[in-house]
């Protein structure tokens, strides 16, 4: 008799009391562990598989093999040889997929409409049974990996990540280069006579072993149905009994400690990284000593390390806590950003860190602090929002390797044992003799003598002076440091208010005056003790010119900076706020547990109305803002393309350069005078949504208004001052090209925009359905087959009530070539559309309908939908149902006509704007070109393109064209009032 597929079955799984899903844990005879989740209400089903093998297991001579293997598994298996079979199946059934490779994990996941879990799972399972690693796919896909690395090359976080690896023990797997590129995966192996396809097969057959796999599947099916589905597909995965890779030796040994690294960044940033090697604390998850220490060292309240460093004017932000390494080692980090002054006081900053650590040693572990952390985690677990299926299965699949099946859902939340001995053990590692220090600043340019191999990062390594070591070792008591106070923001009232009878399913207008509009919706779906409060403060002064825009930005940055100590406790207790300047004024949101929300809201509004600027903070924050404006030059080419297109298409938009030029004019007296002016005339539109009553919503708004009227003498705006910016209207048959260079990255970026129409039900659905139909073929053609670059995107662009189709690509190929390939793709869609069967067409309609009707999983997501309707002033709160009903009436002819009328080269109503971002090595590039080499049999022919108009001057371009009107609101305001 054959051994049964399942060796152990676990039904008692600790879960959040609010979680209504059913769970079952399985341990297969082949060693694979699985978590099944049955959720009869889910719109999308999902599955994820996590292999406990990552780039730390790459062969010595082939960097990036694990990552390359992850890319290749998507591209064909013995049972489903077609290279886009998996992605096409998902696309046709409202699904999506992705994967990632880290040092110890390769994680694959997908979601799909709930009826098609079986078909998707069958295609997915083959990745782990019989991948093809097709030779021609491999030769093409290596370009995607190379392009992915190219995108990270000038990114400071990737550079610092690799530098940390490079400066430890060079024989430790930690030092490997995980992404891989063309050199490591093609050029070098070729030279050395290594067959990469054989290496991929060998890697997969060695390491893709059932005992290293964690699987999580979520669907509408019952647990028994899910179990039989999973057993059939995954019971066959071979168990090669591969031990989980362990790294008992730390990559940082004696000779890598007490070292200082001076590093030159790409962006103008200034950071200090202090790192200590510590043992792997994973097995102590029930007492989590690293979390306890991170909570105190990383605290931002009064008496904290950050508060003291900030009051000295040395730093603005601090992150402290444990950082994962791999099985066998970890790190403890304290990272801060540095002001100009802080850069001169690095030694003193580290001295303060050791003073704080010394205080923790002297006072010893505090049980009440542990209990408070435990309480916060328990509340977070109890009232956890429901997760989106794809992210949830991916996370759970990875956790299966670390915790018993019974505890997988709860392990990261539930603290159980106070272990002062472990806290002291970790604290004992945080000593000067174990420290590594990295200082990152542009000021080191020209003072370095080493270059990191993969990213070319310039740095200099020095031993930390004996003098500093002695000073730090003798760090004494500092009276400024205090342990945090007890957290007053921890919620205690979790009562759910009963629904008012006949409460409408969408937000209603419960107040409409010259000063404010209040939209209210009591939560009728999630029933958790949470609420989202959103406010838009309209003020004509916020965006008059670049100077005012800068002042509005600095006012709110300084305000948030001064609120930080107070609001940090609220944030720890699950209550957070966001405040930012917008083109129309200011946006404020307060989200989280509703119990003490009004207290935080009142404090923010009072501070807004009575704010006194601190001169020292003003200088520091203005300087940081100047650097962030300058750093925009180092953003990705495709990001630049998106930015330039927005500038071109919006009626009023200040550029980074204009903001930079105006920043010198922002003085302290000017900013002080600006604040009362900004608040003098306001209109406030708000959405209060969640576990609150209509009365409390009205009283909160009253409080906001009263506070502003009392302290800032605010008066209402005139209705005629409530302006909205409009979108530039491209003429019929018009094609404009705008070109700029990116001085940092050696890649080009392009955004091509086909403006189609104003937003309205029919136009929205034609465009969205067209995007649904072209999305997968676009990726398959332009990325998988033609390998134009790692970033290849098609979809819709919406702004100011106007919309269109857009393509975004980042590539080493020239923009005018990318342009011609996009046009070739669009041209080929003609045949695709004409030959599409009715069945295939209906599949697309169905897939889009499912996507659109996918219910929000949590309050903040539902709230964001409604808020989007309010700030766009369209107020179509039942949009999804209205539009999907219309979608179902569309025919293939409708789409073909839409395509012919608006998108083909000769379309009468074609409106096209292209932004070409040239790479730093390119001096110039033609705006349009013919590519005779395109008679390559594999390439679809490109249509002959007309001569576009080159935009020389953005202002002239906008002046010469009309603007669209604004979309009419969906709601009659007289009727909306209750």
């Amino acid at each position: 008799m054959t051994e049964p597929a399942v060796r152990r079955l676990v039904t008692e799984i600790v879960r959040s009391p609010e979680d209504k899903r059913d769970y079952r844990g399985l341990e297969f005879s082949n060693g694979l562990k699985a978590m099944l989740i049955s959720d009869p209400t889910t719109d999308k089903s999902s599955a994820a598989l996590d292999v406990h093998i990552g780039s730390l297991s790459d062969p010595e001579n082939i960097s990036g093999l694990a990552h390359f293997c992850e890319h290749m598994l998507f591209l064909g298996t013995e049972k489903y040889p077609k290279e886009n079979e998996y992605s096409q199946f998902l696309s046709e059934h409202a699904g999506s997929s992705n994967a990632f490779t880290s040092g110890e994990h390769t994680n694959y996941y997908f979601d799909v409409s709930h009826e098609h879990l079986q078909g998707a799972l069958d295609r997915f399972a083959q990745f782990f049974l019989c991948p093809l690693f097709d030779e021609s796919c491999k030769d093409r896909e290596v370009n995607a990996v190379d392009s992915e690395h190219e995108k990270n090359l000038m990114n400071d976080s990737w550079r610092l990540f690799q530098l940390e690896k490079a400066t430890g023990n060079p024989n430790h797997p930690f030092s490997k280069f995980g992404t891989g590129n063309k050199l490591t995966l093609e050029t070098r192996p070729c030279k050395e006579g290594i067959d990469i396809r054989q290496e991929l097969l060998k890697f997969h057959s060695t390491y893709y072993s059932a005992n290293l796999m964690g699987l999580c599947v979520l669907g509408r099916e019952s647990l028994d149905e899910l179990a039989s589905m999973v057993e059939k597909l995954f019971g066959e995965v071979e168990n090669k009994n591969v031990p989980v890779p362990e790294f008992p030796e730390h990559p940082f040994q004696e000779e890598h400690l007490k070292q200082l690294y001076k590093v030159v960044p790409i962006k103008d940033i200034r950071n200090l990284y202090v790192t200590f090697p510590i043992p792997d604390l994973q097995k102590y998850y029930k007492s989590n000593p690293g979390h306890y220490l991170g909570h105190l060292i990383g605290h931002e309240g009064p008496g904290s390390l950050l508060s003291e460093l900030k009051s000295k004017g040395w730093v603005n932000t601090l992150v402290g806590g444990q950082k994962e390494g791999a099985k066998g080692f970890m790190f403890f980090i304290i990272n801060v950003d540095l002001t100009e002054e802080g850069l001169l006081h690095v030694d003193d900053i580290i001295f303060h860190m050791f003073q704080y650590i010394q205080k923790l040693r002297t006072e010893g572990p505090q049980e009440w602090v542990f209990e408070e952390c435990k309480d916060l985690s328990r509340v977070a677990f109890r009232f956890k929002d429901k997760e989106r299926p794809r992210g949830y299965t991916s996370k759970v699949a990875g956790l299966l390797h670390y915790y018993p099946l019974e505890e997988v859902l709860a392990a990261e939340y539930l603290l159980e044992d106070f272990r002062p001995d472990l806290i002291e053990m970790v604290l004992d590692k945080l000593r000067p003799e174990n420290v590594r220090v990295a200082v990152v600043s542009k000021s080191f340019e020209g003072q370095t003598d080493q270059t990191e191999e993969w990213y070319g990062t310039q740095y200099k390594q020095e031993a930390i002076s004996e003098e500093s070591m002695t000073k730090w070792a003798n760090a004494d008591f500092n009276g400024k440091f205090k342990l945090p106070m007890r957290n007053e923001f921890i919620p205690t009232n979790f009562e759910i208010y009963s629904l008012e009878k006949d409460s409408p399913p969408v937000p209603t207008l419960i107040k409409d005056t010259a000063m404010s509009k209040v939209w209210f919706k009591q939560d009728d779906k999630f029933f958790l003790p949470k609420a989202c409060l959103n406010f838009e403060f309209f003020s004509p002064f916020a965006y008059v010119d670049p100077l005012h825009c800068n002042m509005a930005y600095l006012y709110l940055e300084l305000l948030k900076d001064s609120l930080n100590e107070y609001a940090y406790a609220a944030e720890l207790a699950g209550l957070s706020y966001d405040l930012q300047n917008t083109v129309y004024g200011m946006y404020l949101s307060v989200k989280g547990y509703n119990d003490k929300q009004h207290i935080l809201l009142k404090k923010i509004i009072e501070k807004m109305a009575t704010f006194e600027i601190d001169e020292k903070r003003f200088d520091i924050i203005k300087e940081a803002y100047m650097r962030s404006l300058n750093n925009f030059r180092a953003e990705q080419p495709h990001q630049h393309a998106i930015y330039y297109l927005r500038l071109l298409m919006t009626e009023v938009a200040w550029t980074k350069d204009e903001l930079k030029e105006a920043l010198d004019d922002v003085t302290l007296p000017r900013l002080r005078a600006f604040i009362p002016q900004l608040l003098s005339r306001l209109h406030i539109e708000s959405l209060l949504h969640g576990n609150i009553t209509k009365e409390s919503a009205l009283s909160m708004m009253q409080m906001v208004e009263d506070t502003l009227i009392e302290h800032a003498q605010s008066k209402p705006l005139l209705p005629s001052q409530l302006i909205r910016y409009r979108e530039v209207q491209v003429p019929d048959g018009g094609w404009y090209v705008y070109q700029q260079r990116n001085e940092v990255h050696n890649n080009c970026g392009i955004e091509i925009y086909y403006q189609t129409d104003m937003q309205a039900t029919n136009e929205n659905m034609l465009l969205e359905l067209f995007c649904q139909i072209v999305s997968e073929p676009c990726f398959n053609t332009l990325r998988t087959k033609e390998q134009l670059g790692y970033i290849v995107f098609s979809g819709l662009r919406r702004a100011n009530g106007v919309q269109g189709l857009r393509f975004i690509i980042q590539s080493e190929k020239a923009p005018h070539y990318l342009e011609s390939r996009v046009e070739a793709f669009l041209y080929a869609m003609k045949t695709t559309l004409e030959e599409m069967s009715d069945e295939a067409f209906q599949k697309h309609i169905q897939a889009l309908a499912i996507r659109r009707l996918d219910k929000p999983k949590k309050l903040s997501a539902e709230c964001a939908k409604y808020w989007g309707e309010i700030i766009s002033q369209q107020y179509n709160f039942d949009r999804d149902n209205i539009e999907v009903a219309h979608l179902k009436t569309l025919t293939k002819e409708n789409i073909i006509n839409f395509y012919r009328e608006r998108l083909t080269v000769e379309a009468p109503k074609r409106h096209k704007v292209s932004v070409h971002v040239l790479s730093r090595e390119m001096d110039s590039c033609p705006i349009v070109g013919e590519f005779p080499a395109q008679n390559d049999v594999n390439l679809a022919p490109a249509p002959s393109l007309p001569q576009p108009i080159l935009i020389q001057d953005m202002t002239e371009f906008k002046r010469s064209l009309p603007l669209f009107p604004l979309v009419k609101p969906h709601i009659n305001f007289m009727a909306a009032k209750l």
Side-chain angles (χ1 to χ4, degrees):
M1 183 179 142
T2 58
E3 190 187 4
V6 174
R7 186 165 61 209
R8 184 167 160 258
L9 189 145
V10 177
T11 51
E12 295 303 307
I13 288 164
V14 185
R15 59 180 182 181
S16 166
E18 299 296 329
D19 189 345
K20 307 293 186 271
R21 298 168 287 202
D22 287 331
Y23 292 86
R24 180 184 296 172
L26 302 177
E27 216 168 284
F28 282 62
S29 309
N30 61 7
L32 182 140
K33 287 192 281 296
M35 177 66 74
L36 310 179
I37 310 173
S38 167
D39 177 357
T41 66
T42 193
D43 297 316
K44 298 258 185 101
S45 292
S46 172
L49 190 141
D50 186 287
V51 189
H52 203 337
I53 283 288
S55 45
L56 293 180
S57 302
D58 281 342
E60 280 305 313
N61 56 343
I62 315 177
S63 300
L65 192 65
H67 179 219
F68 192 26
C69 176
E70 170 233 300
H71 274 242
M72 289 301 300
L73 292 195
F74 285 79
L75 302 173
T77 55
E78 283 171 27
K79 184 170 179 183
Y80 298 102
K82 198 170 79 171
E83 74 177 5
N84 67 329
E85 171 65 44
Y86 172 66
S87 56
Q88 190 176 0
F89 182 87
L90 292 175
S91 173
E92 283 172 358
H93 300 106
S96 63
S97 70
N98 212 336
F100 66 81
T101 305
S102 65
E104 302 177 284
H105 294 271
T106 314
N107 185 293
Y108 302 84
Y109 50 88
F110 70 82
D111 63 7
V112 70
S113 88
H114 67 85
E115 308 90 337
H116 295 284
L117 176 59
Q118 173 86 53
L121 203 56
D122 184 22
R123 286 160 177 79
F124 180 70
Q126 309 309 315
F127 290 14
F128 310 101
L129 295 164
C130 55
L132 287 177
F133 295 116
D134 174 81
E135 192 72 44
S136 80
C137 284
K138 167 196 72 92
D139 293 342
R140 277 177 288 127
E141 194 61 23
V142 74
N143 294 300
V145 173
D146 193 64
S147 170
E148 184 175 353
H149 173 58
E150 183 67 43
K151 156 183 91 65
N152 304 335
L153 205 51
M154 304 306 273
N155 176 314
D156 286 309
S157 40
W158 280 95
R159 296 165 73 92
L160 292 163
F161 173 68
Q162 193 62 37
L163 184 62
E164 176 161 65
K165 295 170 159 304
T167 51
N169 174 0
N171 301 318
H172 194 292
F174 181 68
S175 68
K176 291 178 179 177
F177 165 51
T179 313
N181 62 10
K182 218 161 179 164
L183 171 71
T184 67
L185 296 169
E186 187 175 270
T187 319
R188 210 162 55 188
C190 236
K191 258 198 200 125
E192 294 171 12
I194 296 169
D195 179 341
I196 281 286
R197 180 168 184 267
Q198 286 310 313
E199 291 294 331
L200 284 163
L201 286 162
K202 189 164 99 190
F203 186 85
H204 188 279
S205 75
T206 305
Y207 290 121
Y208 275 54
S209 167
N211 72 305
L212 294 183
M213 294 181 181
L215 171 70
C216 179
V217 182
L218 180 154
R220 278 197 184 183
E221 292 81 355
S222 70
L223 289 172
D224 287 344
E225 291 168 311
L226 290 171
S228 84
M229 208 186 285
V230 164
E231 279 167 38
K232 280 193 198 77
L233 291 168
F234 294 89
E236 295 306 303
V237 179
E238 197 185 332
N239 182 3
K240 297 146 188 168
N241 290 305
V242 182
V244 173
E246 291 203 39
F247 310 92
E249 186 177 292
H250 207 288
F252 296 148
Q253 293 297 317
E254 189 59 37
E255 65 270 30
H256 310 112
L257 305 176
K258 297 188 285 201
Q259 300 295 310
L260 168 69
Y261 300 90
K262 294 177 174 171
V263 188
V264 180
I266 298 297
K267 286 187 171 177
D268 188 359
I269 54 176
R270 289 187 299 263
N271 291 328
L272 165 64
Y273 299 89
V274 177
T275 306
F276 303 88
I278 58 171
D280 187 353
L281 304 174
Q282 172 58 38
K283 60 173 179 280
Y284 306 123
Y285 65 91
K286 290 196 172 172
S287 57
N288 209 338
H291 175 77
Y292 172 95
L293 288 169
H295 171 73
L296 293 175
I297 291 171
H299 209 279
E300 301 183 11
S304 62
L305 174 59
L306 174 64
S307 284
E308 177 59 7
L309 294 174
K310 224 167 114 169
S311 74
K312 291 261 199 264
W314 294 340
V315 317
N316 297 312
T317 57
L318 180 149
V319 175
Q322 56 191 347
K323 180 172 100 168
E324 286 182 11
K327 203 172 169 63
F329 64 91
M330 279 174 90
F331 312 98
F332 196 93
I333 60 164
I334 311 177
N335 299 345
V336 294
D337 71 328
L338 298 168
T339 61
E340 290 172 294
E341 192 64 20
L343 186 60
L344 309 173
H345 288 93
V346 167
D347 260 34
D348 298 324
I349 292 172
I350 298 172
F351 177 67
H352 279 72
M353 292 176 182
F354 282 116
Q355 278 188 322
Y356 193 87
I357 289 167
Q358 190 50 41
K359 177 185 175 64
L360 295 183
R361 270 197 206 104
T362 322
E363 300 218 357
Q366 307 284 315
E367 190 155 10
W368 75 267
V369 174
F370 177 80
E371 287 299 327
E372 190 170 270
C373 289
K374 182 170 158 180
D375 195 22
L376 287 170
S377 304
R378 199 179 63 238
V379 172
F381 186 61
R382 178 176 161 194
F383 300 113
K384 202 149 80 74
D385 290 317
K386 191 171 184 176
E387 304 79 2
R388 288 164 68 183
R390 205 179 88 160
Y392 194 40
T393 54
S394 167
K395 183 158 177 57
V396 171
L399 295 176
L400 291 168
H401 303 296
Y402 294 101
Y403 306 109
L405 284 163
E406 293 80 349
E407 297 177 14
V408 162
L409 308 177
E412 292 201 312
Y413 290 90
L414 299 186
L415 290 168
E416 289 176 25
D417 322 317
F418 177 53
R419 291 280 304 273
D421 56 321
L422 292 176
I423 293 170
E424 284 171 341
M425 178 272 287
V426 179
L427 208 42
D428 193 49
K429 307 283 184 226
L430 311 186
R431 295 188 179 278
E433 56 269 28
N434 288 333
V435 80
R436 289 169 52 84
V437 177
V439 186
V440 176
S441 164
K442 284 278 196 198
S443 61
F444 299 130
E445 265 172 344
Q447 302 171 32
T448 59
D449 53 11
Q450 279 173 274
T451 305
E452 188 277 317
E453 174 181 11
W454 298 107
Y455 292 82
T457 308
Q458 305 284 317
Y459 70 102
K460 181 178 174 64
Q461 177 176 353
E462 300 170 357
I464 293 172
S465 72
E466 279 306 317
E467 184 190 350
S468 296
M469 294 301 297
T470 313
K471 182 180 160 190
W472 296 343
N474 295 318
D476 52 351
F477 174 76
N478 181 337
K480 297 264 178 55
F481 290 138
K482 305 259 189 295
L483 284 180
M485 299 177 288
R486 287 181 192 270
N487 192 336
E488 299 295 328
F489 277 105
I490 297 180
T492 49
N493 174 10
F494 299 117
E495 181 196 348
I496 304 295
Y497 298 108
S498 51
L499 273 175
E500 300 183 6
K501 61 175 189 305
D502 305 331
S503 73
V506 296
T508 44
L509 191 59
I510 56 170
K511 178 175 186 178
D512 186 0
T513 63
M515 186 86 166
S516 67
K517 271 196 184 67
V518 181
W519 295 92
F520 167 72
K521 164 108 169 62
Q522 188 176 353
D523 171 43
D524 55 5
K525 295 192 183 64
F526 306 104
F527 302 107
L528 292 172
K530 299 179 180 183
C532 292
L533 317 175
N534 288 285
F535 303 87
E536 175 109 54
F537 298 86
F538 293 89
S539 168
F541 292 112
Y543 206 69
V544 178
D545 58 14
L547 173 68
H548 281 73
C549 176
N550 283 334
M551 292 199 291
Y553 173 82
L554 289 170
Y555 161 49
L556 296 185
E557 283 304 299
L558 285 157
L559 183 69
K560 288 185 283 193
D561 177 72
S562 80
L563 273 169
N564 189 56
E565 270 191 0
Y566 177 83
Y568 185 70
E571 195 181 329
L572 288 177
L575 182 55
S576 61
Y577 81 100
D578 181 25
L579 180 59
Q580 50 203 10
N581 65 311
T582 71
V583 292
Y584 301 119
M586 302 171 282
Y587 162 69
L588 167 68
S589 74
V590 182
K591 294 190 174 92
Y593 301 113
N594 57 272
D595 182 18
K596 314 223 164 132
Q597 227 169 10
H598 61 284
I599 304 173
L600 180 61
L601 175 64
K602 188 169 169 58
K603 178 79 172 187
I604 295 167
I605 301 293
E606 280 175 354
K607 195 79 159 171
M608 268 172 84
T610 61
F611 189 46
E612 293 294 327
I613 303 170
D614 173 303
E615 185 166 2
K616 213 161 102 179
R617 299 307 298 159
F618 171 75
D619 292 333
I620 287 170
I621 281 173
K622 179 178 165 184
E623 191 272 340
Y625 176 45
M626 188 59 167
R627 279 184 295 133
S628 79
L629 288 172
N630 280 321
N631 286 336
F632 184 72
R633 58 185 280 281
E635 294 300 334
Q636 298 277 343
H638 78 276
Q639 292 288 12
H640 279 181
I642 293 169
Y643 159 77
Y644 292 124
L645 185 67
R646 184 176 64 81
L647 295 181
L648 286 165
M649 300 313 295
T650 310
E651 179 183 358
V652 177
W654 308 123
T655 68
K656 302 283 175 190
D657 291 337
E658 289 165 340
L659 293 169
K660 261 189 324 208
E661 262 166 56
L663 189 52
D664 284 343
D665 299 338
V666 181
T667 59
L668 194 52
R670 262 198 172 150
L671 185 56
R672 283 187 173 138
F674 164 74
I675 299 171
Q677 184 192 27
L678 180 73
L679 301 177
S680 64
R681 293 236 170 221
L682 291 174
H683 180 74
I684 309 165
E685 187 155 13
S686 67
L687 168 64
L688 309 175
H689 177 196
N691 183 38
I692 45 176
T693 59
K694 193 191 290 184
E695 292 66 43
S696 67
L698 288 168
S699 76
M700 273 197 271
M701 192 55 173
Q702 200 55 54
M703 179 275 294
V704 169
E705 290 184 43
D706 292 346
T707 308
L708 288 164
I709 291 166
E710 182 189 344
H711 297 291
Q713 288 76 53
S714 306
K715 294 194 171 81
L717 274 184
L718 299 169
S720 61
Q721 290 179 291
L722 286 174
I723 51 141
R724 285 278 154 174
Y725 295 126
R726 303 192 291 161
E727 192 83 347
V728 170
Q729 190 168 5
V730 181
D732 289 351
W735 175 21
Y736 296 84
V737 175
Y738 182 72
Q739 292 191 331
Q740 279 286 3
R741 226 174 87 227
N742 181 306
E743 335 161 341
V744 174
H745 295 266
N746 208 9
N747 255 351
C748 299
I750 183 167
E751 179 172 13
I752 304 176
Y753 175 48
Y754 301 90
Q755 189 181 63
T756 54
D757 217 326
M758 286 178 65
Q759 293 170 29
T761 303
N762 181 50
E763 287 68 19
N764 293 354
M765 288 300 92
L766 284 169
L767 179 59
E768 286 184 35
L769 182 56
F770 188 80
C771 288
Q772 155 70 32
I773 292 169
V774 303
S775 169
E776 193 279 329
C778 167
F779 190 89
N780 186 44
T781 306
L782 302 181
R783 178 173 145 170
T784 308
K785 290 203 170 83
E786 298 192 21
Q787 284 297 333
L788 296 181
Y790 177 71
I791 296 172
V792 172
F793 168 84
S794 68
L796 65 173
R797 177 184 190 274
R798 288 190 168 138
N800 304 312
V802 179
Q803 61 192 351
L805 168 68
R806 65 174 175 173
F807 293 87
I808 297 170
I809 301 175
Q810 185 163 304
S811 172
E812 50 188 37
K813 302 199 165 65
H816 65 311
Y817 177 71
L818 301 176
E819 181 103 53
S820 117
R821 294 321 302 150
V822 168
E823 288 289 358
F825 167 72
L826 258 186
Y827 180 69
M829 284 313 292
K830 176 173 184 282
T831 319
T832 310
L833 290 171
E834 286 167 357
E835 293 174 0
M836 184 179 288
S837 67
D838 278 344
E839 185 199 5
F841 182 73
Q842 285 308 319
K843 263 188 186 167
H844 283 300
I845 286 198
Q846 198 46 34
L848 177 56
I850 290 164
R851 281 212 170 102
R852 285 295 306 271
L853 298 174
D854 192 13
K855 297 183 287 288
K857 304 294 172 275
K858 54 183 181 182
L859 181 72
S860 59
E862 186 184 11
C863 187
K865 253 186 165 160
Y866 290 143
W867 185 242
E869 292 296 336
I870 291 169
I871 54 170
S872 70
Q873 298 197 342
Q874 294 189 33
Y875 305 105
N876 189 354
F877 296 123
D878 195 27
R879 179 182 298 278
D880 293 324
N881 291 318
I882 293 171
E883 294 191 342
V884 167
H886 181 79
L887 166 69
K888 291 182 172 167
T889 67
L890 294 181
T891 63
K892 199 173 103 168
E893 274 53 58
N894 297 145
I895 282 287
I896 290 176
N897 289 338
F898 170 78
Y899 168 76
R900 283 195 183 133
E901 197 172 279
R902 304 197 168 264
L903 297 169
T904 61
V905 176
E906 57 286 344
K909 292 192 171 169
R910 171 156 150 143
H911 317 125
K912 179 177 171 187
V913 181
S914 313
V915 175
H916 296 176
V917 175
L918 281 50
S919 70
R920 65 164 192 249
E921 306 291 319
M922 289 173 75
D923 286 329
S924 65
C925 169
I927 48 176
V928 63
E930 298 285 327
F931 296 91
Q934 283 184 356
N935 51 25
D936 171 348
V937 284
N938 296 317
L939 287 183
S944 182
L945 298 176
Q947 194 60 31
I949 298 171
L950 181 66
I951 300 172
Q952 305 279 7
D953 177 322
M954 224 178 243
T955 316
E956 277 308 303
F957 163 75
K958 289 196 207 181
R959 277 194 186 149
S960 66
L961 294 178
L963 298 170
F964 275 100
L966 295 171
V967 175
K968 292 201 165 44
H970 189 79
I971 276 181
N972 168 354
F973 274 104
M974 297 319 292
K977 273 193 241 186
L978 282 185

